[in-house]
Structures are given as structure tokens and as C-alpha cells.
Amino acid sequence: MAETKSSVRQGAAPHVLILPIPAQGHINSMLKLAELLCLSGINVTFVNTQQNHSGLFSFADVQSRFGQFPGICFETVPDGLSASFSNPEDFVTDLFDRLKNVIKPGFRDLLTSNRLKSDARGPVSCIIADGVLGFAIDVAEELGIPCISFRTISACCVWVFFCSQKLVENGDVPFKDEDMDRLITSVPEMESFLRCRDLPSFYRAKEVNTPNLDFVNTGTLYSVRAAAHLLSTFDDIEAPILSQLRSYWPNMYTIDPLNALLNNLRSSTTSKCNSSLPVSSNASLYAEDRKIVYVSFGSIAMVSREQWLEIWYGLVNSSYRFLWVKRPDSLIAKDDEDSQIQAELVEATKERGYSLYWAPPEEVLNHPAVGLFFTHSGWNSTLESMVAGVPIVCWPHLADQQ
């Protein structure tokens, strides 16, 4: 520990290392935090797994946002990721396993390697890690580096995780499928409205001891050891729950909505996103104010063929224009017949709707033509729609989205 502290240069800008969990929603939130730190003159090393790093620079606007900041560096750790996964729950289970067996040792190797020691910005003076990455606190304590926990989910969801033991002791979990509307009474401040169906999807397991829930619970217990806590929320929407959490985390700070903070700090010479909506030949799509339905289900949620067709026909029959962002891997069990059906639907609705693989969500939501957001209810999407003032229709899939 003494060696780490003595190596910090007098008067040098702090060097913060940011480690998100390797899921796109978490990465996006922590990228906003990284940009905020860069705008404040703080050096940042942003660590991604190899596959997410590649995807980040292929589809997002990272280079235009961060290219002007000499104090930021992007590093990678191994991910051990297979080429594909069959459904979101498989992805989550696989992710938790890889965090323990692949990403944790890779992260420690990065911090003790010459890749960071030789950096002109000086040694890492602080780690900001995703709140469920308990191993980051272990590694930070071993190396004598303060570690801050950053929760990219709602305070309500974090508080439910804190109350896991009470849920078990009170007999609230596990629960049967027919109990979905039963009230949960063992989570303080939420007794009057929290139902079984509202609990994070990890609690829908038929047994209490499952790998996914064990991982989340362990991360929550670890988090108490963090030097401080950042939450991706603000007091106006979750004040009673934040009061409960502060009894466990006295050094807790709410820092959202980050996109609103960034918009206030950016100028014409800083990291203004330069992406634009995919107008192309569909310029008429954006002609009317608040008449466009924006559809996006995030980076993990999968859609079956039947669901895909139902949503598409629903959009068409609504008579509203729409913009649908669909990942190439979001449709389950695609075949030649499905591809033909998709092509026919796209052709038949090209004057009313437009589909593409990626678009900058904040820019879409803030466009004056967008009047409704059909979303998987991820926390980033929820906050971004609040800031933009766009009403939402929610189709939750997993984890905290319920």
C-alpha cells in the first residue's frame, strides 16, 4: 500500500479506472460518467472486455465523443465469451460465471501489469467499479487503491437486493406463478405497492439458492466495503428508498440524470455527439411533431418470430409512423422464411416505418418528431425518456426491468 501511495505524483490529475459489468446498458451509463470526469480534467482508463470493446467502437460514437480528451485510455481484459447465446437468461448465467473465472484474474493482471504502470498519466488513484463486481473491491484493497461502487440500476432495485434475506425469511420468495399479484411486505417503503411480478427476474427461480441470485446477493454484501457509492438516479424520483440506503451507505451520491448534466457541460468544442438520425430517403418520416413511435429493446433482449410479427403488425395497424432499432442478433431462430417475411414487411411499410441496427437513443428521444417510446424498460432508457419528456410503453424482459 505504501508503494502505491508514494508513487502518486505531487499535483498530478487523479487517474480513475472505470470497470463496468460487460453488458451494454451498464457500459453506456459508465461511459457517461467517464465523459463527465474527462470534462472535469480527470484522467480516465475505461476497461472493457475484448468483445464489448470491439463492438463499442464499431457501432457507437465513442471516437467522436472521446477523441478530443488526451487523458482517456481504453483498455481490455479477456472475456471468455462464446460466439453467441440462445436467450437472455443464458447470457446472464454465462456472464456471472465468466466474471469469476475469466474477468476477475484478467482485471488483476491489468492493474499489476506494465500496461498501466508505464502510463504517462501516473498510477491509478481510484477505481470506480460496477456495484455487483465485488471482486473489484478485493483487488483494490489488495493493491491499496480506493474503490467506489457505481450502481447503474434504480435505487428501488438495489434496495430489494439489500432485503433479499428478509424476502426469504418472510416467505416472499420463492413464489408460485399464480402469486404474481401478491403484495411483498418485507421491503420497507415499498409494502403498499411492490408485487411478486415487480421483483427482479432473478427472484422467479423455483429455489432460493440459485447462481444468479447468489451472485447479486454477494455483490450487494461486498458493496458495503466500498469507499463510496454512486447511484444512477436522483432524489426527486426515489427519495424514500435513498433514505433507507443511506443508513447502510453514508457516503452515497446520486449523479443522474447524467445525460442532462453532460448536455449542460458540453460546448461546440467538446464531446457533442455527432451522430444523426437515419433520415436517408425517409425524410417524410420525421416531418410531423411528436407523431413517431420509437421502438428499441436494448442490447440483450431477444424477440421470437411470433413476437416480432405481432409488434410489426401492431405498429402498422396503429397508423403511426415508427422507427424500430433492431439488433442483428435480436430475432430468435431466424431462417430463410423469416428473412423473406421481414423483407416483405419492410417493403410494405417503408413509407411509414424505418428499421435499422443502431441509432443514438438520446438523440432519437430528443428529436421533436418522436412522441412515444416502446422499450424493454431498461434503467438507462427510463431515465433518458424522463429527461426527453417522452411517454413510454414498457415491455420488460429480465433483471431489474420488471
Side-chain angles (χ1 to χ4, degrees):
M1 182 182 296
E3 180 181 352
T4 303
K5 289 183 176 179
S6 63
S7 60
V8 178
R9 296 169 298 168
Q10 187 69 26
H15 181 182
V16 176
L17 184 145
I18 295 180
L19 178 68
I21 198 170
Q24 194 60 53
H26 296 249
I27 294 170
N28 291 344
S29 185
M30 298 189 87
L31 276 173
K32 293 176 185 176
L33 176 61
E35 185 178 355
L36 197 64
L37 295 177
C38 287
L39 286 166
S40 302
I42 295 174
N43 295 320
V44 175
T45 294
F46 197 93
V47 181
N48 256 323
T49 58
Q50 292 166 344
Q51 182 161 316
N52 279 313
H53 176 81
S54 176
L56 191 66
F57 281 85
S58 298
F59 296 103
D61 57 352
V62 172
Q63 291 179 334
S64 62
R65 286 172 63 187
F66 293 98
Q68 63 185 300
F69 297 123
I72 190 166
C73 174
F74 289 88
E75 288 285 352
T76 63
V77 293
D79 49 31
L81 192 64
S82 57
S84 62
F85 53 91
S86 58
N87 62 61
E89 293 294 349
D90 285 348
F91 171 80
V92 172
T93 301
D94 180 56
L95 171 61
F96 292 160
D97 182 66
R98 289 185 292 108
L99 284 169
K100 177 181 178 181
N101 298 316
V102 180
I103 298 174
K104 176 181 178 179
F107 176 64
R108 188 188 183 284
D109 289 345
L110 171 65
L111 277 169
T112 56
S113 70
N114 291 328
R115 291 161 62 186
L116 295 182
K117 286 184 177 179
S118 61
D119 197 298
R121 298 168 303 161
V124 173
S125 49
C126 178
I127 295 171
I128 301 179
D130 196 291
V132 297
L133 299 181
F135 70 77
I137 297 177
D138 280 340
V139 174
E141 289 179 348
E142 177 188 348
L143 301 176
I145 305 172
C147 186
I148 296 174
S149 170
F150 181 25
R151 287 285 185 164
T152 61
I153 56 178
S154 69
C156 285
C157 187
V158 175
W159 182 229
V160 169
F161 290 153
F162 254 103
C163 296
S164 279
Q165 189 60 40
K166 289 183 180 179
L167 289 170
V168 174
E169 293 173 353
N170 198 50
D172 286 321
V173 295
F175 54 84
K176 300 177 181 179
D177 292 341
E178 57 265 28
D179 293 339
M180 298 300 280
D181 289 320
R182 177 170 57 84
L183 282 175
I184 300 293
T185 60
S186 49
V187 181
E189 297 291 349
M190 302 172 74
E191 304 95 334
S192 63
F193 60 85
L194 185 69
R195 304 162 299 175
C196 291
R197 69 171 65 253
D198 301 318
L199 293 174
S201 61
F202 306 122
Y203 291 98
R204 298 190 179 189
K206 301 306 179 185
E207 299 179 2
V208 174
N209 296 319
T210 63
N212 293 356
L213 195 53
D214 286 345
F215 181 89
V216 173
N217 290 338
T218 300
T220 301
L221 292 174
Y222 262 80
S223 65
V224 179
R225 292 162 44 196
H229 304 270
L230 305 178
L231 263 69
S232 179
T233 188
F234 50 103
D235 289 67
D236 286 347
I237 59 173
E238 299 192 277
I241 306 302
L242 292 169
S243 177
Q244 294 285 339
L245 284 170
R246 285 191 174 98
S247 65
Y248 292 88
W249 293 341
N251 296 326
M252 188 182 78
Y253 307 91
T254 57
I255 60 172
D256 252 298
L258 281 171
N259 50 323
L261 292 173
L262 285 171
N263 288 336
N264 290 334
L265 288 175
R266 288 166 176 156
S267 68
S268 59
T269 58
T270 59
S271 56
K272 180 69 175 177
C273 300
N274 64 358
S275 302
S276 59
L277 288 178
V279 176
S280 185
S281 60
N282 297 66
S284 62
L285 182 65
Y286 309 101
E288 299 179 88
D289 287 348
R290 300 301 180 194
K291 296 294 185 181
I292 306 300
V293 179
Y294 169 42
V295 184
S296 178
F297 302 132
S299 57
I300 296 178
M302 308 289 283
V303 181
S304 70
R305 176 181 181 274
E306 291 75 16
Q307 291 168 333
W308 191 93
L309 290 171
E310 189 74 16
I311 293 168
W312 195 288
Y313 282 118
L315 289 168
V316 171
N317 292 335
S318 74
S319 76
Y320 285 99
R321 300 178 185 272
F322 61 91
L323 173 68
W324 190 348
V325 177
K326 297 193 282 88
R327 304 187 327 273
D329 62 346
S330 63
L331 185 59
I332 300 173
K334 290 187 291 185
D335 54 29
D336 292 339
E337 180 184 359
D338 289 334
S339 298
Q340 181 180 355
I341 292 173
Q342 290 188 62
E344 292 174 355
L345 282 172
V346 170
E347 178 64 25
T349 60
K350 65 181 181 181
E351 295 303 321
R352 185 184 299 168
Y354 192 72
S355 175
L356 70 167
Y357 290 148
W358 184 84
E362 290 175 46
E363 189 168 345
V364 174
L365 286 168
N366 283 283
H367 196 283
V370 174
L372 181 70
F373 186 19
F374 186 13
T375 171
H376 66 307
S377 194
W379 189 237
N380 284 340
S381 297
T382 302
L383 289 173
E384 288 162 359
S385 65
M386 284 185 189
V387 173
V390 176
I392 58 180
V393 172
C394 298
W395 188 33
H397 282 255
L398 78 161
D400 63 306
Q401 298 162 13
Q402 310 301 326

Tab-separated table of all heavy atoms in Angstrom, residues 299-333:
chain	number	residue	atom	x	y	z
A	299	SER	N	-29.829	-4.145	-25.617
A	299	SER	CA	-28.708	-4.897	-26.178
A	299	SER	C	-28.735	-6.381	-25.861
A	299	SER	O	-27.884	-7.128	-26.352
A	299	SER	CB	-27.390	-4.308	-25.649
A	299	SER	OG	-27.373	-4.337	-24.234
A	300	ILE	N	-29.700	-6.847	-25.049
A	300	ILE	CA	-29.732	-8.255	-24.652
A	300	ILE	C	-31.052	-8.927	-25.016
A	300	ILE	O	-31.078	-10.072	-25.438
A	300	ILE	CB	-29.472	-8.403	-23.140
A	300	ILE	CG1	-28.066	-7.922	-22.785
A	300	ILE	CG2	-29.648	-9.848	-22.701
A	300	ILE	CD1	-27.760	-7.995	-21.297
A	301	ALA	N	-32.164	-8.227	-24.857
A	301	ALA	CA	-33.482	-8.832	-25.044
A	301	ALA	C	-33.627	-9.449	-26.433
A	301	ALA	O	-33.216	-8.866	-27.436
A	301	ALA	CB	-34.569	-7.782	-24.833
A	302	MET	N	-34.204	-10.642	-26.459
A	302	MET	CA	-34.442	-11.366	-27.698
A	302	MET	C	-35.932	-11.363	-28.017
A	302	MET	O	-36.776	-11.339	-27.123
A	302	MET	CB	-33.944	-12.803	-27.582
A	302	MET	CG	-32.507	-12.938	-27.095
A	302	MET	SD	-31.302	-12.404	-28.322
A	302	MET	CE	-31.320	-13.820	-29.424
A	303	VAL	N	-36.256	-11.411	-29.309
A	303	VAL	CA	-37.644	-11.383	-29.762
A	303	VAL	C	-37.898	-12.625	-30.612
A	303	VAL	O	-37.148	-12.897	-31.550
A	303	VAL	CB	-37.931	-10.110	-30.582
A	303	VAL	CG1	-39.392	-10.076	-31.029
A	303	VAL	CG2	-37.599	-8.859	-29.767
A	304	SER	N	-38.946	-13.362	-30.287
A	304	SER	CA	-39.289	-14.535	-31.081
A	304	SER	C	-39.938	-14.107	-32.398
A	304	SER	O	-40.372	-12.954	-32.563
A	304	SER	CB	-40.248	-15.443	-30.312
A	304	SER	OG	-41.521	-14.832	-30.195
A	305	ARG	N	-40.029	-15.048	-33.336
A	305	ARG	CA	-40.650	-14.755	-34.628
A	305	ARG	C	-42.087	-14.279	-34.436
A	305	ARG	O	-42.517	-13.297	-35.054
A	305	ARG	CB	-40.620	-16.005	-35.508
A	305	ARG	CG	-41.327	-15.868	-36.851
A	305	ARG	CD	-41.246	-17.182	-37.624
A	305	ARG	NE	-41.890	-17.081	-38.913
A	305	ARG	CZ	-43.192	-17.284	-39.107
A	305	ARG	NH1	-43.973	-17.576	-38.072
A	305	ARG	NH2	-43.710	-17.184	-40.318
A	306	GLU	N	-42.842	-14.952	-33.553
A	306	GLU	CA	-44.231	-14.587	-33.319
A	306	GLU	C	-44.340	-13.187	-32.709
A	306	GLU	O	-45.198	-12.388	-33.090
A	306	GLU	CB	-44.890	-15.617	-32.392
A	306	GLU	CG	-45.099	-16.986	-33.011
A	306	GLU	CD	-43.805	-17.785	-33.114
A	306	GLU	OE1	-42.812	-17.408	-32.427
A	306	GLU	OE2	-43.768	-18.766	-33.867
A	307	GLN	N	-43.454	-12.891	-31.756
A	307	GLN	CA	-43.472	-11.564	-31.133
A	307	GLN	C	-43.103	-10.480	-32.142
A	307	GLN	O	-43.700	-9.402	-32.171
A	307	GLN	CB	-42.503	-11.547	-29.951
A	307	GLN	CG	-42.949	-12.399	-28.773
A	307	GLN	CD	-41.848	-12.585	-27.748
A	307	GLN	OE1	-40.649	-12.531	-28.065
A	307	GLN	NE2	-42.239	-12.830	-26.503
A	308	TRP	N	-42.100	-10.785	-32.951
A	308	TRP	CA	-41.641	-9.828	-33.961
A	308	TRP	C	-42.781	-9.453	-34.902
A	308	TRP	O	-43.035	-8.281	-35.188
A	308	TRP	CB	-40.462	-10.448	-34.725
A	308	TRP	CG	-39.724	-9.505	-35.615
A	308	TRP	CD1	-38.628	-8.767	-35.308
A	308	TRP	CD2	-40.030	-9.205	-36.988
A	308	TRP	NE1	-38.237	-8.021	-36.392
A	308	TRP	CE2	-39.074	-8.281	-37.433
A	308	TRP	CE3	-41.017	-9.635	-37.876
A	308	TRP	CZ2	-39.067	-7.769	-38.720
A	308	TRP	CZ3	-41.022	-9.126	-39.166
A	308	TRP	CH2	-40.055	-8.205	-39.582
A	309	LEU	N	-43.492	-10.462	-35.398
A	309	LEU	CA	-44.597	-10.215	-36.315
A	309	LEU	C	-45.739	-9.465	-35.624
A	309	LEU	O	-46.344	-8.549	-36.204
A	309	LEU	CB	-45.117	-11.539	-36.876
A	309	LEU	CG	-44.191	-12.265	-37.856
A	309	LEU	CD1	-44.725	-13.653	-38.171
A	309	LEU	CD2	-44.014	-11.458	-39.139
A	310	GLU	N	-46.030	-9.833	-34.381
A	310	GLU	CA	-47.115	-9.177	-33.647
A	310	GLU	C	-46.807	-7.696	-33.439
A	310	GLU	O	-47.687	-6.830	-33.603
A	310	GLU	CB	-47.311	-9.872	-32.297
A	310	GLU	CG	-48.537	-9.422	-31.522
A	310	GLU	CD	-49.827	-9.951	-32.110
A	310	GLU	OE1	-49.780	-10.898	-32.920
A	310	GLU	OE2	-50.887	-9.398	-31.751
A	311	ILE	N	-45.574	-7.395	-33.064
A	311	ILE	CA	-45.185	-5.993	-32.857
A	311	ILE	C	-45.263	-5.223	-34.164
A	311	ILE	O	-45.784	-4.095	-34.223
A	311	ILE	CB	-43.762	-5.910	-32.256
A	311	ILE	CG1	-43.754	-6.480	-30.844
A	311	ILE	CG2	-43.278	-4.462	-32.230
A	311	ILE	CD1	-42.360	-6.698	-30.285
A	312	TRP	N	-44.748	-5.835	-35.229
A	312	TRP	CA	-44.726	-5.127	-36.515
A	312	TRP	C	-46.150	-4.821	-36.989
A	312	TRP	O	-46.453	-3.692	-37.382
A	312	TRP	CB	-43.981	-5.956	-37.569
A	312	TRP	CG	-43.630	-5.136	-38.771
A	312	TRP	CD1	-44.458	-4.666	-39.738
A	312	TRP	CD2	-42.331	-4.629	-39.090
A	312	TRP	NE1	-43.771	-3.926	-40.646
A	312	TRP	CE2	-42.465	-3.881	-40.289
A	312	TRP	CE3	-41.078	-4.757	-38.508
A	312	TRP	CZ2	-41.376	-3.273	-40.898
A	312	TRP	CZ3	-40.000	-4.142	-39.124
A	312	TRP	CH2	-40.147	-3.408	-40.297
A	313	TYR	N	-47.036	-5.811	-36.933
A	313	TYR	CA	-48.414	-5.576	-37.367
A	313	TYR	C	-49.116	-4.588	-36.448
A	313	TYR	O	-49.953	-3.788	-36.896
A	313	TYR	CB	-49.177	-6.899	-37.422
A	313	TYR	CG	-48.866	-7.715	-38.650
A	313	TYR	CD1	-48.282	-8.973	-38.538
A	313	TYR	CD2	-49.136	-7.224	-39.928
A	313	TYR	CE1	-47.973	-9.731	-39.665
A	313	TYR	CE2	-48.829	-7.981	-41.059
A	313	TYR	CZ	-48.252	-9.225	-40.924
A	313	TYR	OH	-47.951	-9.964	-42.035
A	314	GLY	N	-48.790	-4.637	-35.165
A	314	GLY	CA	-49.365	-3.657	-34.251
A	314	GLY	C	-48.955	-2.241	-34.604
A	314	GLY	O	-49.779	-1.312	-34.577
A	315	LEU	N	-47.691	-2.064	-34.959
A	315	LEU	CA	-47.202	-0.746	-35.362
A	315	LEU	C	-47.885	-0.282	-36.645
A	315	LEU	O	-48.314	0.869	-36.767
A	315	LEU	CB	-45.685	-0.787	-35.542
A	315	LEU	CG	-44.852	-0.923	-34.273
A	315	LEU	CD1	-43.398	-1.242	-34.618
A	315	LEU	CD2	-44.915	0.357	-33.443
A	316	VAL	N	-47.990	-1.196	-37.604
A	316	VAL	CA	-48.615	-0.844	-38.874
A	316	VAL	C	-50.080	-0.473	-38.672
A	316	VAL	O	-50.573	0.533	-39.193
A	316	VAL	CB	-48.486	-2.007	-39.885
A	316	VAL	CG1	-49.323	-1.727	-41.138
A	316	VAL	CG2	-47.030	-2.226	-40.257
A	317	ASN	N	-50.796	-1.292	-37.883
A	317	ASN	CA	-52.223	-1.053	-37.667
A	317	ASN	C	-52.496	0.176	-36.809
A	317	ASN	O	-53.616	0.677	-36.785
A	317	ASN	CB	-52.869	-2.283	-37.025
A	317	ASN	CG	-52.900	-3.470	-37.969
A	317	ASN	OD1	-52.877	-3.303	-39.183
A	317	ASN	ND2	-52.930	-4.676	-37.410
A	318	SER	N	-51.489	0.652	-36.094
A	318	SER	CA	-51.682	1.845	-35.271
A	318	SER	C	-51.832	3.106	-36.105
A	318	SER	O	-52.297	4.126	-35.609
A	318	SER	CB	-50.503	2.026	-34.308
A	318	SER	OG	-49.354	2.494	-35.007
A	319	SER	N	-51.405	3.019	-37.350
A	319	SER	CA	-51.423	4.137	-38.314
A	319	SER	C	-50.371	5.206	-38.028
A	319	SER	O	-50.280	6.199	-38.743
A	319	SER	CB	-52.812	4.797	-38.387
A	319	SER	OG	-53.060	5.633	-37.266
A	320	TYR	N	-49.550	5.007	-36.984
A	320	TYR	CA	-48.482	5.958	-36.698
A	320	TYR	C	-47.200	5.576	-37.434
A	320	TYR	O	-46.961	4.396	-37.717
A	320	TYR	CB	-48.193	6.015	-35.192
A	320	TYR	CG	-49.230	6.760	-34.399
A	320	TYR	CD1	-50.230	6.082	-33.709
A	320	TYR	CD2	-49.216	8.149	-34.357
A	320	TYR	CE1	-51.194	6.761	-32.991
A	320	TYR	CE2	-50.175	8.843	-33.630
A	320	TYR	CZ	-51.158	8.147	-32.954
A	320	TYR	OH	-52.107	8.833	-32.255
A	321	ARG	N	-46.393	6.562	-37.707
A	321	ARG	CA	-45.063	6.293	-38.250
A	321	ARG	C	-44.176	5.767	-37.130
A	321	ARG	O	-44.405	6.066	-35.962
A	321	ARG	CB	-44.461	7.568	-38.859
A	321	ARG	CG	-45.300	8.146	-39.999
A	321	ARG	CD	-44.694	9.429	-40.522
A	321	ARG	NE	-45.543	10.049	-41.526
A	321	ARG	CZ	-45.490	9.766	-42.824
A	321	ARG	NH1	-44.613	8.878	-43.255
A	321	ARG	NH2	-46.299	10.360	-43.666
A	322	PHE	N	-43.143	5.005	-37.493
A	322	PHE	CA	-42.313	4.411	-36.451
A	322	PHE	C	-40.873	4.253	-36.914
A	322	PHE	O	-40.575	4.143	-38.105
A	322	PHE	CB	-42.876	3.054	-36.012
A	322	PHE	CG	-42.947	2.008	-37.100
A	322	PHE	CD1	-41.886	1.139	-37.324
A	322	PHE	CD2	-44.082	1.890	-37.891
A	322	PHE	CE1	-41.963	0.176	-38.321
A	322	PHE	CE2	-44.165	0.927	-38.888
A	322	PHE	CZ	-43.101	0.074	-39.105
A	323	LEU	N	-39.988	4.255	-35.919
A	323	LEU	CA	-38.564	3.977	-36.111
A	323	LEU	C	-38.215	2.827	-35.183
A	323	LEU	O	-38.323	2.945	-33.970
A	323	LEU	CB	-37.725	5.211	-35.767
A	323	LEU	CG	-36.194	5.013	-35.771
A	323	LEU	CD1	-35.698	4.764	-37.190
A	323	LEU	CD2	-35.488	6.222	-35.165
A	324	TRP	N	-37.801	1.689	-35.756
A	324	TRP	CA	-37.524	0.487	-34.975
A	324	TRP	C	-36.044	0.155	-35.068
A	324	TRP	O	-35.530	-0.144	-36.142
A	324	TRP	CB	-38.357	-0.687	-35.484
A	324	TRP	CG	-38.318	-1.905	-34.600
A	324	TRP	CD1	-37.477	-2.150	-33.565
A	324	TRP	CD2	-39.182	-3.050	-34.684
A	324	TRP	NE1	-37.746	-3.367	-32.984
A	324	TRP	CE2	-38.796	-3.940	-33.654
A	324	TRP	CE3	-40.233	-3.415	-35.515
A	324	TRP	CZ2	-39.419	-5.169	-33.460
A	324	TRP	CZ3	-40.862	-4.623	-35.315
A	324	TRP	CH2	-40.455	-5.497	-34.296
A	325	VAL	N	-35.364	0.217	-33.925
A	325	VAL	CA	-33.950	-0.159	-33.855
A	325	VAL	C	-33.878	-1.633	-33.453
A	325	VAL	O	-34.262	-1.989	-32.333
A	325	VAL	CB	-33.193	0.722	-32.843
A	325	VAL	CG1	-31.740	0.267	-32.730
A	325	VAL	CG2	-33.255	2.182	-33.266
A	326	LYS	N	-33.400	-2.480	-34.361
A	326	LYS	CA	-33.350	-3.929	-34.120
A	326	LYS	C	-31.921	-4.422	-34.299
A	326	LYS	O	-31.341	-4.296	-35.373
A	326	LYS	CB	-34.259	-4.685	-35.106
A	326	LYS	CG	-35.733	-4.340	-34.972
A	326	LYS	CD	-36.611	-5.341	-35.728
A	326	LYS	CE	-36.615	-5.074	-37.218
A	326	LYS	NZ	-35.577	-5.706	-37.970
A	327	ARG	N	-31.357	-4.977	-33.246
A	327	ARG	CA	-30.030	-5.582	-33.353
A	327	ARG	C	-30.075	-6.748	-34.340
A	327	ARG	O	-31.078	-7.465	-34.440
A	327	ARG	CB	-29.554	-6.126	-32.003
A	327	ARG	CG	-29.520	-5.149	-30.885
A	327	ARG	CD	-28.882	-5.750	-29.635
A	327	ARG	NE	-29.132	-7.164	-29.465
A	327	ARG	CZ	-30.211	-7.663	-28.841
A	327	ARG	NH1	-31.130	-6.847	-28.366
A	327	ARG	NH2	-30.359	-8.966	-28.698
A	328	PRO	N	-28.961	-7.008	-35.052
A	328	PRO	CA	-28.950	-8.137	-35.991
A	328	PRO	C	-29.209	-9.473	-35.313
A	328	PRO	O	-29.752	-10.386	-35.930
A	328	PRO	CB	-27.532	-8.075	-36.576
A	328	PRO	CG	-27.074	-6.678	-36.370
A	328	PRO	CD	-27.735	-6.210	-35.105
A	329	ASP	N	-28.843	-9.605	-34.026
A	329	ASP	CA	-28.989	-10.887	-33.327
A	329	ASP	C	-30.213	-10.935	-32.415
A	329	ASP	O	-30.325	-11.808	-31.564
A	329	ASP	CB	-27.735	-11.159	-32.490
A	329	ASP	CG	-27.511	-10.095	-31.417
A	329	ASP	OD1	-28.155	-9.037	-31.478
A	329	ASP	OD2	-26.678	-10.330	-30.514
A	330	SER	N	-31.150	-10.014	-32.588
A	330	SER	CA	-32.270	-9.928	-31.646
A	330	SER	C	-33.422	-10.856	-31.981
A	330	SER	O	-34.299	-11.073	-31.151
A	330	SER	CB	-32.791	-8.488	-31.588
A	330	SER	OG	-33.300	-8.081	-32.844
A	331	LEU	N	-33.464	-11.416	-33.188
A	331	LEU	CA	-34.557	-12.291	-33.585
A	331	LEU	C	-34.161	-13.748	-33.385
A	331	LEU	O	-33.161	-14.217	-33.930
A	331	LEU	CB	-34.940	-12.039	-35.048
A	331	LEU	CG	-36.155	-12.810	-35.586
A	331	LEU	CD1	-37.396	-12.498	-34.766
A	331	LEU	CD2	-36.378	-12.485	-37.058
A	332	ILE	N	-34.938	-14.472	-32.602
A	332	ILE	CA	-34.649	-15.876	-32.291
A	332	ILE	C	-35.041	-16.766	-33.464
A	332	ILE	O	-36.092	-16.594	-34.076
A	332	ILE	CB	-35.421	-16.316	-31.035
A	332	ILE	CG1	-35.010	-15.456	-29.834
A	332	ILE	CG2	-35.190	-17.790	-30.734
A	332	ILE	CD1	-35.844	-15.720	-28.603
A	333	ALA	N	-34.167	-17.751	-33.759
A	333	ALA	CA	-34.473	-18.803	-34.739
A	333	ALA	C	-34.839	-18.230	-36.098
A	333	ALA	O	-35.875	-18.543	-36.681
A	333	ALA	CB	-35.601	-19.696	-34.223
